[in-house]
Amino acid sequence: MNQEAAIAGFEALASAVRLDIYRLLIRQGPSGMVAGDIATALDLAPTNLSFHLKNLTRAGLLTVVQEGRYQRYRAHLPGMLELLAYLTEECCGGEPELCAEVVALSKRLGAQADSDRPLP
Amino acid sequence: MNQEAAIAGFEALASAVRLDIYRLLIRQGPSGMVAGDIATALDLAPTNLSFHLKNLTRAGLLTVVQEGRYQRYRAHLPGMLELLAYLTEECCGGEPELCAEVVALSKRLGAQADSDRPLP
DNA sequence: TTAACCCTACAAGTATTATTGAATTAATAC
DNA sequence: GTATTAATTCAATAATACTTGTAGGGTTAA
């Protein structure tokens, strides 16, 4: 994870619409949702939704697969954990317990995150 | 943590300058750094640095205390963990192992995060 | 108290992002 | 084969954030 990718990730989450989309898909879990259902659930114009879905996907926070004429989107948790790992690299010379936990989690999941990246 | 606060947090991290500042302070640990030293370390104009420090602080990602004529800034980890908790609320009906870990961490630290908030 | 230093507040110019509508591609249904 | 549905791309407008310079408030040193 480099700085550019991290910025793309945080930028993706720094929008009310995209945050709603992402959390909706997190709640939805592995089944994900097709674009049209997301548009209905959040009352978004198809054009606008597509713009934000693309943003989230390019940031590595969503994956998308085609199903006939539908596009199914899913939250991509490793993308989020890579962001956490990037923030906490070389964390805390002072090592409070809290910090140690975060580092352990992000390190452990960081490796696994590299194995399945969505489209660049 | 509400949507507005979450957006402020992610927006704060969605800038190269602020990401550099935040990670520098994470590395620095509990000792933190005074504004002037941050400016030197990252080669930033004082005015511009002040702008970004304020942004990060208001987002709950930094704390600041006055020390004589210096301002000492520290990374505020609970702020970051609240963001993680907000993202993963009601996460994954399907419950993969990865997801459960994230939820457990964010829930556990979420409560503690509420106890010491920086300035609004 | 005068001077020097640290940092922040304000204002202006520049640049980036969000939203909308029209047109396009792609897949299914008739 | 034509029509219908799903989703995206493109172009234009409106809104927002980043950077820089000047000025000001507060603290320490002479």
Side-chain angles (χ1 to χ4, degrees):
Chain A
M1 167 74 72
N2 56 17
Q3 194 207 49
E4 191 184 1
I7 291 172
F10 290 119
E11 231 162 34
L13 295 170
S15 140
V17 171
R18 289 193 295 268
L19 204 44
D20 287 345
I21 294 170
Y22 185 73
R23 300 214 317 153
L24 175 61
L25 290 172
I26 285 279
R27 284 197 297 278
Q28 207 61 221
S31 63
M33 288 177 80
V34 298
D37 290 344
I38 300 173
T40 301
L42 301 178
D43 192 28
L44 293 170
T47 298
N48 196 20
L49 174 62
S50 196
F51 170 80
H52 290 296
L53 286 173
K54 181 182 175 184
N55 188 316
L56 282 161
T57 305
R58 302 214 63 162
L61 293 169
L62 300 184
T63 61
V64 55
V65 298
Q66 183 163 357
E67 292 184 358
R69 54 184 163 179
Y70 298 88
Q71 303 286 330
R72 182 168 298 272
Y73 287 89
R74 295 182 172 90
H76 183 68
L77 286 172
M80 184 186 69
L81 294 165
E82 279 186 87
L83 292 178
L84 180 63
Y86 183 77
L87 285 184
T88 56
E89 271 172 17
E90 308 173 44
C91 174
C92 278
E95 272 107 39
E97 175 196 20
L98 191 151
C99 177
E101 289 193 76
V102 177
V103 173
L105 177 63
S106 59
K107 284 265 164 62
R108 185 146 36 95
L109 298 171
Q112 156 179 9
D114 294 330
S115 54
D116 57 342
R117 288 197 60 71
L119 53 88
Chain B
M1 167 75 70
N2 56 18
Q3 195 207 48
E4 191 184 0
I7 291 171
F10 291 119
E11 232 161 34
L13 296 170
S15 140
V17 172
R18 289 193 295 268
L19 204 45
D20 286 345
I21 294 170
Y22 185 73
R23 300 213 316 151
L24 175 61
L25 290 173
I26 285 278
R27 282 197 298 278
Q28 207 60 222
S31 63
M33 290 177 79
V34 298
D37 291 342
I38 300 172
T40 302
L42 300 178
D43 192 29
L44 294 170
T47 298
N48 196 19
L49 174 63
S50 195
F51 170 80
H52 290 296
L53 286 173
K54 180 181 175 183
N55 188 317
L56 282 160
T57 305
R58 301 213 64 164
L61 293 168
L62 301 183
T63 60
V64 56
V65 297
Q66 184 164 358
E67 291 183 0
R69 54 184 163 180
Y70 299 89
Q71 302 286 329
R72 181 167 298 272
Y73 286 89
R74 296 181 172 89
H76 182 68
L77 286 172
M80 184 186 69
L81 294 165
E82 280 186 87
L83 291 178
L84 180 63
Y86 183 77
L87 286 184
T88 57
E89 271 174 16
E90 308 175 42
C91 174
C92 278
E95 272 108 38
E97 175 197 20
L98 190 151
C99 177
E101 289 192 77
V102 177
V103 173
L105 177 63
S106 60
K107 285 265 165 62
R108 186 147 33 96
L109 297 171
Q112 155 179 13
D114 294 330
S115 53
D116 57 342
R117 288 199 60 72
L119 53 87

